[in-house]
Amino acid sequence: LEGLEERALVRLVQPAIGVAVGEGKATAGASKLGGVPDLPKSVKWPKYEDNDDHLPFILQLNCAEMAPFDVEGLLPKDGHFYLFSDTSAEDEEGSKLFYAKGAVAPRALPDDLGQRANVDAFVATIEEKSLRFFTQYTLPSSEWLSVRGELSDEDDDAIRALREALENSTESSSTQVLGWPSPVQGEFLGGEESLTLLQLDALGEFGNWIVDGLRYWIIDRESLGKKRWDETWSEYQYT
């Protein structure tokens, strides 16, 4: 490497929790994609901000199941993360990613979601699938690195080789929790203080909500440490 010290590059490696579809349906409270959520009694099924309709349920992540793969111990050790979102193509503000803890139970599908099951370009309910986790390792994007060092073609080759080696050293998934995001259109992070709370690929049948791209929910390390989940912000990129 000419434009970047090797030790600096290695220091930038961040562990992440890879997320993949498991086998069969999930048990109550387990991590899963689709179906109906297992929510604490105190948590209401989220709605759109501008009307009284309920948002489709996307997934739930059990923190106790993710904990063995959280190398840096950044996440809560119990509770769940939940994602609800509009699944139409023009989704700008219609998603809610939040954390909750407490005893959970399956929640019945709201009537209005059932009534929208046949709406074109909209997915009211997603087929239920269990989720499993593993540790993987991530690097900042080449664009992020190039802003911080004058990289030669040989540097780009070396960084690409390291990225491939990291991906091949473990199972790898473009759906992940924590770590550096994988931008597909252009870098959108600032400094090293931000990391991925959730990066989501098309694990399930989302209709036009994720097409040839990724959804990102980003949080600063300080906000993560203080559990300020409302300070998470989102990004959508497509190829």
Side-chain angles (χ1 to χ4, degrees), residues 138-139 174 176 180-185 188 196 199 214 216 237:
T138 64
L139 272 176
S174 52
Q176 69 184 56
W180 292 98
S182 304
V184 295
Q185 213 173 38
F188 54 85
T196 311
Q199 175 177 286
L214 297 170
Y216 313 84
Q237 292 190 345

Side-chain angles (χ1 to χ4, degrees), residues 132-143:
R132 59 182 181 86
F133 307 108
F134 48 89
T135 301
Q136 61 184 31
Y137 296 91
T138 64
L139 272 176
S141 70
S142 297
E143 186 177 350

Side-chain angles (χ1 to χ4, degrees), residues 117-181:
N118 295 321
V119 174
D120 291 339
F122 177 83
V123 179
T125 57
I126 297 167
E127 180 185 359
E128 181 178 313
K129 298 176 182 178
S130 63
L131 295 175
R132 59 182 181 86
F133 307 108
F134 48 89
T135 301
Q136 61 184 31
Y137 296 91
T138 64
L139 272 176
S141 70
S142 297
E143 186 177 350
W144 190 95
L145 290 168
S146 66
V147 173
R148 290 154 180 83
E150 191 171 336
L151 304 181
S152 65
D153 291 342
E154 289 76 14
D155 289 343
D156 288 335
D157 291 341
I159 292 167
R160 188 178 304 109
L162 176 57
R163 197 185 306 279
E164 291 177 357
L166 289 171
E167 291 175 354
N168 293 333
S169 68
T170 66
E171 186 176 357
S172 181
S173 172
S174 52
T175 294
Q176 69 184 56
V177 177
L178 302 177
W180 292 98

